[in-house]
Structures are given as C-alpha cells and as structure tokens.
Amino acid sequence: MTMNSTGTSPLNSAGSPTATRTVTENLRDFVERLRAAGELVDLRQPVDVRHMATLVDQSDKALLFHNPIGFKIPVLSGILRSTRRAFLAMGCESYREIEEMLTAGLANPIPPTRVETSSTEEVILTGDEVNLFDLPVPLFSVHDGGPMITAGIVMARDPEYGLVNTGCYRFMVKEKNLTGIDIVTPNNLKHYAQRAFEAGRPLPISISIGTHPIEMIAANFRAPMEQEEMSIAGGIRGASVPLGQCRTIDLPYVADCEIVLEAEILPVGWTQPEGRFGEFTFLMGGLHWNPNVRVKAVMMRKDAMYWALHMPFEYTYLGAAVLHQPIRSALTNTGIKVKDINVTVGGSAYWHAVISIKKQAGEGKSALLAALSVGDLKHVVVVDEEIDVYNPMEVEWAIATRVQGDRDVIIIPGARAKPLDPSLPFTPGRGPATGAKVGIDATIGEGIPHERYERVAYAYSKDVDVADYVAGKADPLQKGDPAAVDAICAEILSMIEEEPMYYVDIDRRLSTYDFPTVATAFGKLHSENKLWKDPFGRVCIRGSQFDAKP
C-alpha cells in the first residue's frame, strides 16, 4: 500500500489545483488503515447475514464479518459510514480537501491502464457455475424486495463515442443469475440502456464489487459526457487506475477488486418490478419498474470479501463529498468568492447546501442561481462569510435576521428533480420528474448598515476564565471611596472630550476604582445633564457635535 500525500493540494501559478500525491492502495489496504485507526471491528464468530445491516447501524465502527453463516466469503460494511471514515478513505481531513482532489482529478485526468490479468481473476465462474446466492448479500431494510448488491461500480460503453461510462447502481438479486437494476433516474447508463432496448439488444455491463472508495467517489461524480470517470479517479490518485478485461463481454473492470459480475441489461424495458429499498432519502422507496440483468460470469479473488455498502449513510457521506466540487466550480465561474460549503446530511447529502461567500453587491442572488444549477440541488441558503455553514443555529440565525421573504427568497418552478423525491406529485421512482428549486439569500442586504449585525460580546471576556474561579481564584477587594466621585467625573469628561467612548471602555480605564463608585460617578454626571449618547451608543458630552438626535 502506498499513500504519499501532502494533505491539501496547492494551487499552481495559474490558480488551478494540481495533484501532489500518489495513491496506489486498494480496498484491503484501506481496511488495514481503518483497523489501525481503531475504526474497524473484526467479528469472527458466526453471524446471520439477516442481522448484519442492523448490527452495522448500531455500531460506531465499520464491521468485518469473517464468518457469515452459510457463506464462505466475509462481509465488510460501514467503512464510509461517518465523516471520519470518509475522510480517511480519501486521505484527507475535510470536505475542502476532497474538493481540491476532485478538482485536480478533473483538471489533470490520467487515463486508466489496461492490464492482462489481476488477482480478481483467481476464480472464474461461467454459465451454470454462476450462482449469486453464493454471495453473502445481506438484507437491509424491513420492506426490501430482496437482497441488494449496493457497492457495484458499473461500466458500460457509449455506443456512439466508444467511451466507457462508470456509475454506481444497486442490483436486487432475483435468481441465481438474474438481478434487477435501478436506473429510473435520468443518467448516461439509462440513456445507453434505452437505446439498446429500442434496438432490441442487451447492453453489456461489468459490475466491480469491492473497489477502493476513490473509484466509488469518481463513479458517483457527474462527469462531462466526453470524460471517463476512471480518468478522473486516476487524476485523484495521481496514478493510472488499472483495468482488467472481462471474459464474456467486451468491457473492462477495476483490476484487483474483490468480485466482478459480467452481465447484460436485458432488452425488456422498464417493465419488471424492482425494490422496495431503503433509499438515500432515509425513507423506504416505493416499487420501481426497471429492466432485468442477466449475469453471465463471476470473477473473484480466491479469498474475496464482499463489501455491503450500508444505506443510507455510506452513500450520504460519499455523496456530500461529490457535490462540493461542482458547487464551488459553478460559483467560481461566475466570479463569486466562496468561503465554505456544507452539503447537509439532513438534506440527504443531495438536496440541500449552505454556502458562505465573500459577498459583493448583488452576489447573494447570483450565488443562488449558480448553485441551484448543480445536479438536483433543491434548497440552497447563501450566507455571509462570517457565518459558520456547519453550525445550524448560526445558519438559522442568519435566515431569521437577514431575510425578507419578498426580497430574498427565489422559487424556480419546473426544474429537473430527483425521481426519488417523495414530495413530488407523481409516484416516486417511476419516471422523469420536475419540481421547484428554492434559494434563500441570507446575506446582509444592500443598503442595510452592517453595524446592525454586531454580535453580542460579553464585557471583559478576554480577561477572565471561569475555570480559574471554579479552582478558587478571587478578585482583589476594592474599598469604595465616595470622596473619589468628583475626581472620577472629571476623568470621564476628559476621556470623552475628543471622541465618544463605550461605557465599558471608560470603565476599563477606571479599573483602579471599585465599580459601585464608578457607576455612581456616571450617575452624577447624568443627573447634571452632562452626558449623552452618539448614534452608535457611545458615551459623549451632551451638547457636543457627537450627540445623537431623536
């Protein structure tokens, strides 16, 4: 295993990210890193595959089931089911770093390399030897239509351009060599399958199970039509991704992955019941209508392990990582300076984004329009740069204090939507979908004084620490001196003669006196009509040029 990295990707002189790392590790190497980091638990006792999904849900670590009852292949699950493990997978410490890696991969793609063979070809099963029921595919949710293969990286060839398209799809195991595939959402693979169906021919696909998460994140990225996702994976790695050759179909697979299924999407159209399934929405999806898939061959390592990607959270943290880069790119291309992005887990890491910007006049609305053009984002909030996009209280506060609905909320009807959105009027999962997109400009509006947004800060907060007082610290006693009031009054008037001052700043300069005596002096000056306030609430001499007017 090799993962050489400087962490973040620096910018070159042109301002574009450049790859500074080379990553050659595979899934097994990553599993070893998880184990060393205390993020994976090995369970060596017999475990029923029917119990695995709920055990992973209950665990705060990834789980490796070495002895699934009735199967010879271990099951790995939960390896991306937290932000920490998602960051470990990419060798990063933040979504910003993953963003930079994706940008580098797009800017500096490295085409995959074809290899003659790989460890994936240690066991080859064809024809009647194929039996998907020998794979330890677990049940996940309570209303699933059957066992679901969830970590399959699918490759298909574009019949028009000859490019190999890569994506991630689920497969419901129906028979020993037959599955369903969920391709309801419009994408490249659905386009290829539609054309093959119209021509009355099957569409060959390879399904690589048990790849490194880098290949998974590249496969999930919505790449330009002319760019192969595995070239992006190579750019992320800083090294070419090796691809092997399938035996029964003319397609590559990810070399050295754990298991490969060689298959064809049958030309039956979207006529076969598929699902239900616990979706990325955190909801049970409905019954979908999809084609079937015939599996012609299986190749695997002789000691293969099966990665059961655990929905929804193993998808969620990966999905969030994929959206950061195109959001920043869309805003940057319009000249907007982006500070931070949060594709929220509560938005299923797919529909919601909070973006902070270094705003110039009018850019709040421009940022919304640019962000809402990305993927199937549904609701976007844009805030000023001082707002922490990862703090929901801060974001809500910005909305509460900076938004006027008639001015700052944009609604775009009839936009492309995700068919799995349960709020759409048609049956989710059954065809093309359109819906509304909403943008909220929670930046300070043009023409509104920024001093209205000065945060509360407690007096003397930098001078004291409650831990010291809990440990026994006491402030020095100060004896009151009524005779000093007149002298303090003179000092106050002298301080504010040239420029108004805040009450606390005056008090700080008078800290050699006890506070009751200082407050008494203020009271005396006020009773003598010698004090007033300027428009900012600072203390000034009454009748001076600084006076605030009613």
Side-chain angles (χ1 to χ4, degrees):
M1 182 270 285
T2 302
M3 179 173 279
N4 301 322
S5 174
T6 60
T8 58
S9 301
L11 298 180
N12 61 25
S13 59
S16 300
T18 55
T20 61
R21 46 185 268 153
T22 300
V23 183
T24 59
E25 76 171 7
N26 58 27
L27 178 64
R28 295 185 175 208
D29 299 324
F30 174 49
V31 167
E32 285 302 319
R33 283 202 296 122
L34 286 178
R35 187 178 284 119
E39 288 288 337
L40 181 138
V41 174
D42 292 281
L43 297 179
R44 303 186 184 277
Q45 66 270 41
V47 177
D48 194 322
V49 293
R50 290 172 289 198
H51 299 159
M52 289 180 180
T54 194
L55 290 173
V56 173
D57 181 58
Q58 295 170 26
S59 175
D60 63 351
K61 303 286 190 292
L63 299 179
L64 180 54
F65 302 93
H66 290 264
N67 190 9
I69 295 173
F71 299 95
K72 299 178 181 179
I73 299 173
V75 177
L76 176 69
S77 192
I79 61 173
L80 299 175
R81 205 172 180 269
S82 71
T83 51
R84 172 165 164 73
R85 294 197 286 278
F87 294 162
L88 280 170
M90 305 302 289
C92 295
E93 295 181 359
S94 68
Y95 281 123
R96 182 71 179 106
E97 291 181 39
I98 296 177
E99 217 184 290
E100 291 172 345
M101 291 173 63
L102 271 170
T103 302
L106 286 164
N108 308 283
I110 300 176
T113 301
R114 294 300 186 100
V115 296
E116 291 187 7
T117 188
S118 79
S119 58
T120 309
E121 299 182 31
E122 291 172 343
V123 177
I124 300 174
L125 305 170
T126 60
D128 289 341
E129 296 176 308
V130 173
N131 186 0
L132 298 178
F133 298 124
D134 287 337
L135 299 179
V137 185
L139 292 170
F140 286 94
S141 304
V142 289
H143 298 312
D144 282 1
M148 292 280 185
I149 296 170
T150 52
I153 290 185
V154 177
M155 294 185 177
R157 182 169 280 108
D158 184 332
E160 186 174 349
Y161 299 103
L163 298 174
V164 174
N165 175 261
T166 307
C168 298
Y169 304 90
R170 72 164 188 250
F171 297 85
M172 186 175 79
V173 178
K174 295 183 176 183
E175 301 174 15
K176 66 191 295 286
N177 64 351
L178 188 76
T179 76
I181 179 174
D182 186 32
I183 45 174
V184 169
T185 299
N187 54 44
N188 290 345
L189 184 62
K190 182 177 182 179
H191 181 54
Y192 300 168
Q194 180 69 39
R195 284 193 289 181
F197 166 64
E198 291 169 356
R201 56 177 173 76
L203 178 71
I205 59 172
S206 69
I207 308 164
S208 300
I209 303 169
T211 67
H212 190 279
I214 285 178
E215 280 67 58
M216 185 71 75
I217 199 171
N220 272 290
F221 189 78
R222 188 172 283 172
M225 183 73 79
E226 69 279 2
Q227 191 165 36
E228 293 189 353
E229 287 80 4
M230 288 302 100
S231 294
I232 299 173
I236 294 171
R237 283 182 173 274
S240 180
V241 175
L243 300 180
Q245 178 62 35
C246 292
R247 299 301 182 92
T248 63
I249 56 175
D250 184 20
L251 279 172
Y253 68 89
V254 180
D256 296 316
C257 70
E258 298 294 318
I259 302 167
V260 172
L261 309 182
E262 301 181 10
E264 294 175 334
I265 299 177
L266 300 177
V268 297
W270 281 255
T271 62
Q272 304 301 303
E274 187 271 340
R276 303 168 66 192
F277 185 58
E279 300 285 2
F280 77 94
T281 59
F282 312 153
L283 300 171
M284 286 304 308
L287 183 68
H288 292 188
W289 295 94
N290 276 300
N292 280 337
V293 173
R294 181 74 66 190
V295 179
K296 303 174 68 175
V298 178
M299 296 194 297
M300 68 178 78
R301 292 171 176 254
K302 62 184 178 183
D303 59 346
M305 61 180 170
Y306 176 81
W307 178 12
L309 185 142
H310 194 277
M311 292 290 287
F313 288 107
E314 274 199 271
Y315 175 89
T316 299
Y317 295 114
L318 205 62
V322 170
L323 276 175
H324 281 237
Q325 190 280 333
I327 290 172
R328 188 178 296 270
S329 178
L331 271 67
T332 301
N333 288 342
T334 64
I336 296 170
K337 293 182 179 179
V338 180
K339 185 185 178 190
D340 289 315
I341 299 168
N342 180 14
V343 178
T344 68
V345 173
S348 299
Y350 196 89
W351 282 316
H352 287 181
V354 183
I355 307 164
S356 60
I357 65 171
K358 300 177 181 180
K359 179 188 167 184
Q360 299 185 58
E363 287 188 339
K365 308 297 188 296
S366 297
L368 289 175
L369 293 173
L372 288 169
S373 72
V374 175
D376 298 316
L377 277 176
K378 183 177 173 183
H379 302 142
V380 173
V381 179
V382 172
V383 296
D384 291 295
E385 61 181 304
E386 74 273 12
I387 301 297
D388 181 359
V389 299
Y390 290 98
N391 184 333
M393 181 175 163
E394 283 255 308
V395 175
E396 183 182 2
W397 175 78
I399 294 171
T401 60
R402 305 183 184 196
V403 172
Q404 288 296 314
D406 60 338
R407 181 191 69 199
D408 298 316
V409 177
I410 296 173
I411 300 175
I412 304 171
R416 185 181 70 185
K418 184 76 170 174
L420 289 174
D421 184 345
S423 69
L424 295 172
F426 76 102
T427 302
R430 297 195 186 183
T434 61
K437 290 176 178 270
V438 178
I440 300 175
D441 179 3
T443 62
I444 297 174
E446 283 69 36
I448 295 181
H450 279 232
E451 56 265 22
R452 292 185 186 178
Y453 294 96
E454 185 175 3
R455 301 285 189 108
V456 171
Y458 290 101
Y460 297 94
S461 60
K462 296 181 180 179
D463 300 307
V464 295
D465 188 331
V466 67
D468 296 332
Y469 290 82
V470 172
K473 176 184 176 180
D475 290 329
L477 295 174
Q478 292 178 301
K479 188 175 181 180
D481 184 6
V485 169
D486 288 340
I488 294 173
C489 287
E491 286 190 56
I492 292 173
L493 293 175
S494 176
M495 284 186 222
I496 62 176
E497 185 176 5
E498 298 295 330
E499 185 177 3
M501 293 176 64
Y502 286 110
Y503 190 110
V504 171
D505 294 330
I506 297 171
D507 176 65
R508 182 183 292 277
R509 291 197 189 181
L510 299 170
S511 60
T512 55
Y513 300 101
D514 69 297
F515 184 69
T517 302
V518 173
T520 299
F522 271 104
K524 184 175 188 295
L525 288 172
H526 193 276
S527 68
E528 295 171 353
N529 292 321
K530 293 181 179 179
L531 297 184
W532 201 247
K533 293 292 177 71
D534 77 349
F536 299 100
R538 297 178 298 182
V539 181
C540 66
I541 295 175
R542 187 169 186 172
S544 70
Q545 60 178 319
F546 303 109
D547 278 10
K549 303 298 189 293

